[in-house]
Amino acid sequence: MARVADAFARVEPRRTARDYVAGLLSATERKNCWWLAEHAGHAGPDAMQRLLRTARWDAAEVRDEVRAVVVERLAHPDGVLICDETGFLKKGVHSAGVQRQYTGTAGRVENAQVGVFLSYASRHGRALIDRRLYLPAKTWCTDRDRCTAAGIPEDTAFATKPALAAQMVYAALDAQVPATWVTADEVYGANTAFRAGLRARGVGYVLAVACDQHVSTGAGRVRVDVLAASLPRQAWQCHSAGDGSKGPRDYDWAWVGINPDQPWPADDRWLLIRRHRRTGELAFYLCWAPTLVGLGRLVRVAGTRWAVEESFQAAKGQVGLDHYQVRSWTGWHRHTVLAMLALAVLTVLVADARDATPSPRDRDGRELLELTTNEIRHLLNVLITRPARRLIDYLSWSTWRRAHQARARRLHYRRRCAG
């Protein structure tokens, strides 16, 4: 009997994970355990909840498999690793890492969790390959009881967002991910340790910095916006940062050599400046490469950074990256890796479709837009994975949800009245 129980403990997570990922790829309105269990035809959400909480499987191993699948299909010697964070708006104070903090998801300070993610991008496509949950220092790392209640391992120490990003980049490089560049926004570009770590690994970078960043030139230390204002007209060149949905993303660009007294491996080598052709708005990047490169290559890497925003949009809008209803450290890492797996499936299918039909046209010869992750997911659902369900199943789930919600409301009222 013990052997049977042990075998079931190993088999059930695989079967439930398959149903979970299929649900993430489905057109189900919400991608939490209740809705995913209903989509899978389960009698209740227990198996889905066990998958995220107590089932015996290692999210880190699945993460490694996701990364391997992405790299196998999208690999290119000039690949780019992109670091960025995204917020998950939450209610209450019990979810691991939650506090009032700024998140670009809302564009303001909100009660939220923040995850730092790593994306891989190449000419073949882009996908998320790693993630870390940011744990605030004062409200979490110094409160051991709170960490224990959220299931945070005892050896988890505070790490800044750039430090978390560095962990993921180093892990990717150790796994032989073919990437020669790293790009990220100001949070990471302003961190000297992050830049020094990339140089030590021989990885080129194009990292955004704020307008008040100081750099060293032959004339001394100067703010980057002051340096940009002093450049002559002929210093600017028009280059595309990549193709957008409405055409090439053309900007004016200039680059300036910096840190002239430092040996090549020791510090940043160029300041790259981007100027909007209509508004004149400026953006600044610190750059380094192990060998001499041209302006066009730095511009291409800078333009690649937006790929991670597209990955976040697809992960949240299509595979429910932010739809989870778990509070624990383990639950967060398990849900996010399964969402990354679902997104990787779509990304690989899009790349396969693009290679199979590089210039798609319909029967009448009309030009067609290339298949997107959204269109691929829609076709999967209407042609392959749409479940055949009985009406009684939907009615049973409606009854279950309402009974659970009524019980929860009754307990909330009882607690409120007792207080």
Side-chain angles (χ1 to χ4, degrees):
M1 183 62 70
R3 290 183 179 180
V4 172
D6 185 65
F8 180 77
R10 291 193 300 269
V11 171
E12 185 196 5
R14 294 192 186 96
R15 185 166 53 234
T16 307
R18 178 200 62 197
D19 293 342
Y20 198 98
V21 173
L24 294 177
L25 291 167
S26 75
T28 302
E29 180 181 351
R30 295 289 297 169
K31 308 295 177 68
N32 58 43
C33 288
W34 290 12
W35 290 86
L36 297 182
E38 179 181 7
H39 176 270
H42 297 182
D46 295 355
M48 295 293 186
Q49 291 172 344
R50 281 195 301 271
L51 180 71
L52 298 186
R53 295 174 181 172
T54 60
R56 291 162 49 185
W57 63 284
D58 190 344
E61 291 182 0
V62 176
R63 183 270 321 277
D64 292 345
E65 288 297 323
V66 171
R67 183 174 60 204
V69 168
V70 170
V71 169
E72 179 181 6
R73 185 59 187 83
L74 307 184
H76 188 273
D78 211 26
V80 181
L81 295 171
I82 314 168
C83 310
D84 202 3
E85 73 268 8
T86 189
F88 303 87
L89 304 184
K90 304 295 288 183
K91 296 180 180 179
V93 298
H94 300 294
S95 297
V98 72
Q99 72 166 15
R100 287 190 59 80
Q101 54 191 318
Y102 178 81
T103 168
T105 301
R108 58 184 182 273
V109 174
E110 284 284 355
N111 198 58
Q113 295 170 299
V114 171
V116 181
F117 284 75
L118 184 68
S119 179
Y120 181 77
S122 74
R123 64 181 60 180
H124 304 300
R126 67 287 307 267
L128 302 173
I129 61 171
D130 205 349
R131 77 278 178 260
R132 298 284 192 279
L133 180 61
Y134 173 68
L135 204 59
K138 294 182 179 179
T139 56
W140 280 91
C141 292
T142 59
D143 190 339
R144 192 61 250 166
D145 291 340
R146 192 182 190 193
C147 288
T148 300
I152 299 171
E154 290 187 6
D155 59 353
T156 304
F158 172 72
T160 64
K161 294 171 186 175
L164 294 175
Q167 293 173 14
M168 293 187 290
V169 170
Y170 300 160
L173 296 175
D174 291 342
Q176 305 302 310
V177 173
T180 53
W181 295 96
V182 171
T183 186
D185 66 17
E186 292 91 340
V187 172
Y188 310 90
N191 190 278
T192 56
F194 183 67
R195 303 199 309 269
L198 296 177
R199 290 195 300 272
R201 298 294 296 254
V203 181
Y205 58 75
V206 179
L207 301 172
V209 292
C211 62
D212 59 354
Q213 177 78 31
H214 284 73
V215 295
S216 295
T217 68
R221 296 279 293 176
V222 62
R223 275 176 53 134
V224 293
D225 55 352
V226 173
L227 179 58
S230 68
L231 294 176
R233 178 179 297 180
Q234 59 268 29
W236 298 92
Q237 304 176 38
C238 179
H239 286 272
S240 172
D243 293 334
S245 59
K246 299 181 180 179
R249 293 183 286 132
D250 290 334
Y251 294 91
D252 290 330
W253 300 83
W255 63 334
V256 181
I258 56 176
N259 297 315
D261 298 327
Q262 297 294 322
W264 187 276
D267 218 330
D268 315 302
R269 301 314 305 168
W270 303 282
L271 171 68
L272 178 66
I273 309 168
R274 187 192 73 198
R275 184 176 68 189
H276 195 283
R277 308 200 77 197
R278 180 172 54 83
T279 67
E281 182 183 5
L282 299 176
F284 307 92
Y285 306 84
L286 294 180
C287 309
W288 182 87
T291 58
L292 187 64
V293 297
L295 173 60
R297 199 172 185 195
L298 297 181
V299 168
R300 182 189 65 81
V301 177
T304 304
R305 188 172 72 83
W306 299 106
V308 72
E309 300 293 344
E310 296 175 354
S311 293
F312 286 151
Q313 183 179 5
K316 290 183 177 183
Q318 297 180 39
V319 298
L321 179 68
D322 59 343
H323 288 196
Y324 59 89
Q325 291 181 338
V326 292
R327 293 175 173 177
S328 72
W329 174 272
T330 297
W332 186 88
H333 284 86
R334 289 184 170 187
H335 171 81
T336 52
V337 79
L338 293 174
M340 287 163 48
L341 173 58
L343 182 62
V345 170
L346 295 178
T347 301
V348 167
L349 290 175
V350 167
D352 288 345
R354 185 184 299 117
D355 288 351
T357 313
S359 300
R361 294 183 178 275
D362 67 5
R363 293 180 178 178
D364 297 325
R366 292 180 302 179
E367 182 182 7
L368 301 177
L369 190 68
E370 292 180 340
L371 285 168
T372 62
T373 54
N374 189 45
E375 188 66 21
I376 287 284
R377 187 174 68 92
H378 174 70
L379 292 175
L380 281 176
N381 281 284
V382 298
L383 299 177
I384 300 175
T385 61
R386 171 175 282 182
R389 304 294 305 281
R390 300 175 303 167
L391 289 179
I392 190 63
D393 295 328
Y394 293 104
L395 294 174
S396 296
W397 262 96
S398 176
T399 300
W400 186 92
R401 276 196 300 271
R402 289 155 52 210
H404 185 92
Q405 290 162 347
R407 180 175 179 273
R409 183 177 63 177
R410 185 168 61 253
L411 293 175
H412 285 310
Y413 270 77
R414 183 182 303 171
R415 188 180 302 111
R416 180 71 59 86
C417 294

